[in-house]
Amino acid sequence: MRVEDFHFNAEEGLLVLTGEKKRRFWRFLSIALALMLVLAACTGKSGDGGGSGTSGQETGSGTGSNGNGGGEGSGSELEPITITAFIGAPQQTPTPDNRIYKKIEEELGVKLEMEFLVGDLQQKLGVMIAGGEYPDLITADTKLVAAKAVIPLEDLIEEHAPNLRKHFAKAWNRMKDSSDGHIYWLPNYGIIHGEFKPTWYSGPAFWIQKKVLKEFGYPKPKTLDEFMQLVRDYVAKHPTTEDGQPTIGYTALASDWRTFPLLNPPEHLIGHPNDGGVVVRDGVAEVFAVKDYAKRYYQELNNLYNEGLFDKEAFVQNYDQYLAKLSSGRVVAMFDQHWNFQPAEDNLIAEGRILDTYVGFPLVYDTSIRDWYLDRPVPNLNNGFGISKDAKDPVRIIKFLDALITEEWQKILSWGEEGIDYHVDENGRFYRTPEQRAQQEDPTWKLANRADALFGYIPKIEGTFSDGNATSPGNQPEEYFESLKPEDRELLEAYGHKTWTDFFSPPLENPVYYPAWQIDLIDGSEAAIAGQQMTDTSLKYLPQAIMAKPGQFDAVWDDYVKAFEKINVQAYLDRVNEQLQWRIENWSTE
């Protein structure tokens, strides 16, 4: 082209071609554009990670027609990729034609091959580490960092994942490993957008069946003594279930890494939040396993055992057997975190056995103690997915995860597909029909129509979307109340409550260092060895103490304390307290 082939259009402020030159130019441009599109389809984009630099999350518009929001093309423009993932928890395998996974494959060009835990997690990870081979994505465990099995993520996120970078902005420094400053894991929970008004309670509590509360006129036990008296009174009236099975008054779980149902209650009973194996006072941790306030709880379990009310199989059951027992409706009460036994409640709800499900109470030793079970969300550090050293295309993987954190995909993964799983009213509010709610309670339907296995471990938005809708149906107030079963409505009304969180004191402000259980002890260190020895010792002696004959509890407890004295507990405490102070110094300025 020559300068004389153009003239200046003053009205439009443009240089334009004239006559035949114009027609030839547009033919040339069309061919060039077509060639560019072919090349783009073959190669995709690499390295820019941001497209125009404006993510769907930033604009609140989702991901647009591409459905990814991270600078990649749509699924049809990308070479399909298979991403392997290991999920460190037992799950049921989704159906091959699962609707949401197919949508991910079609729109993002990603096929997922997921392996779920079978057996013991630590044994499985040990085999992986010994073999030195890993899937692309792997759920978090600190020993994988020590084994150099996972790669640092901060540069990948900075360069290729603008949505993730914005999502984690306030938690960025917290996510860094204190030993080397790298980010290895993408927390799957605890990042709040907009407002956070929980209706459903997923945390720790003492749980008791709804039918017990109904039978005794909806009492509200506040202390451990009051709660256990309810258990005693109910089993005395109902020694067997309706189908003739023996009623189990109280059970516990201490299988694999799920030892918290057995080990954590004492800290809550004295009014402290969940800091794992320690109680923190004024920024200083103490191990409570053999304290007198712990002994008091296990003495009560010993009383229950000798009265025939404590589950004799508690210390030999695995997680699946525990869930099966709760699903049978035989278990009156237990201490646990709701998310841990939710699969059992899902089964009960699917069978319409609402009164066999549970209500959580924030018990304390005496009424002078303020309960602290319900806490403010915190980033779920050392959890979620990491990318392994064996991943062939970490950039593509981080862009995939970047796409999934956009509002468009978060809505699909939490609410489902509009018009199929939920509807939008004239005010823009999301809601479900009774039929849609019933589907969501069917475990078989969910295996074919939801991507819960993936969604549980990827980063997620909690709180509210930019359009004001809650990020999950359970936290959408009007949808939540419409979804309640008649039995649940009756129970809440009897207590004068609107939600399950109303049973708990409002959460206090989290200390800057909270929670201590997220501290990495560093695999193989003296602190980690001591921590494992403490757990092993507790799992050896506590069952003996609980199942001791009348009058023998104190002797077993004394042996427990002596065994604990042989452990280098100070090495454990030094690491925890060092990290608490590090957090106070490095996180306080956020």
Side-chain angles (χ1 to χ4, degrees), residues 466-495:
S466 58
D467 58 16
N469 284 291
T471 55
S472 68
N475 281 328
Q476 185 92 319
E478 59 271 43
E479 171 60 24
Y480 175 75
F481 288 114
E482 286 297 323
S483 69
L484 285 175
K485 303 297 182 185
E487 297 92 335
D488 289 337
R489 288 176 180 269
E490 177 185 334
L491 188 147
L492 286 172
E493 288 174 358
Y495 284 102

Side-chain angles (χ1 to χ4, degrees), residues 92-380:
Q92 288 187 280
T93 303
T95 61
D97 62 345
N98 179 285
R99 172 162 52 95
I100 303 302
Y101 290 117
K102 284 181 65 178
K103 186 177 182 69
I104 288 172
E105 186 173 357
E106 291 167 0
E107 297 192 16
L108 298 181
V110 173
K111 181 178 181 180
L112 288 156
E113 290 186 357
M114 293 181 290
E115 178 188 358
F116 304 110
L117 176 66
V118 176
D120 181 80
L121 175 61
Q122 298 308 314
Q123 183 179 10
K124 173 66 176 178
L125 292 177
V127 170
M128 279 190 186
I129 292 170
E133 295 183 356
Y134 306 92
D136 300 320
L137 286 171
I138 189 165
T139 49
D141 192 284
T142 54
K143 62 169 47 65
L144 294 169
V145 176
K148 300 188 184 304
V150 287
I151 63 174
L153 301 177
E154 63 275 5
D155 290 344
L156 276 173
I157 296 171
E158 294 277 13
E159 295 174 22
H160 304 289
N163 298 319
L164 286 173
R165 184 62 180 89
K166 182 175 182 181
H167 176 68
F168 288 122
K170 293 183 179 179
W172 192 251
N173 287 338
R174 296 186 179 216
M175 292 162 58
K176 294 179 180 178
D177 192 295
S178 61
S179 64
D180 61 15
H182 288 306
I183 292 173
Y184 294 101
W185 310 110
L186 300 176
N188 51 346
Y189 287 98
I191 306 298
I192 309 303
H193 295 236
E195 295 184 69
F196 185 73
K197 297 179 179 178
T199 54
W200 187 81
Y201 180 65
S202 64
F206 286 83
W207 302 87
I208 193 163
Q209 288 178 308
K210 293 169 184 173
K211 62 187 178 186
V212 179
L213 301 174
K214 183 173 183 178
E215 173 139 349
F216 292 110
Y218 302 106
K220 189 174 183 180
K222 295 182 179 180
T223 67
L224 182 68
D225 291 341
E226 292 171 349
F227 184 88
M228 292 307 185
Q229 191 58 50
L230 274 179
V231 173
R232 290 180 170 92
D233 292 344
Y234 184 82
V235 177
K237 290 185 67 174
H238 302 278
T240 60
T241 61
E242 291 182 359
D243 56 2
Q245 298 184 79
T247 301
I248 299 171
Y250 196 87
T251 193
L253 177 67
S255 175
D256 195 8
W257 58 271
R258 291 179 168 88
T259 59
F260 51 87
L262 176 65
L263 303 183
N264 285 18
E267 65 185 334
H268 294 293
L269 288 166
I270 63 169
H272 281 257
N274 179 19
D275 271 310
V278 296
V279 163
V280 182
R281 306 177 194 271
D282 299 322
V284 179
E286 69 176 29
V287 173
F288 62 81
V290 294
K291 297 291 185 183
D292 286 343
Y293 57 83
K295 179 181 180 180
R296 180 175 174 181
Y297 172 67
Y298 299 112
Q299 176 77 72
E300 177 63 6
L301 297 192
N302 173 253
N303 294 336
L304 290 177
Y305 184 87
N306 283 298
E307 295 169 37
L309 298 173
F310 187 87
D311 183 9
K312 291 180 172 57
E313 299 173 344
F315 303 120
V316 295
Q317 65 188 352
N318 61 29
Y319 180 57
D320 289 338
Q321 292 167 330
Y322 172 73
L323 292 180
K325 193 171 290 181
L326 297 182
S327 299
S328 73
R330 297 172 59 202
V331 178
V332 175
M334 70 284 179
F335 174 92
D336 201 349
Q337 299 201 32
H338 203 173
W339 60 265
N340 191 47
F341 70 90
Q342 184 61 45
E345 284 208 325
D346 289 342
N347 292 333
L348 291 168
I349 292 169
E351 295 173 6
R353 299 165 61 186
I354 309 305
L355 291 179
D356 283 341
T357 61
Y358 296 85
V359 175
F361 286 92
L363 303 183
V364 288
Y365 280 135
D366 64 72
T367 55
S368 67
I369 300 171
R370 185 189 191 277
D371 66 89
W372 195 347
Y373 288 71
L374 180 61
D375 58 8
R376 296 179 185 273
V378 295
N380 200 24

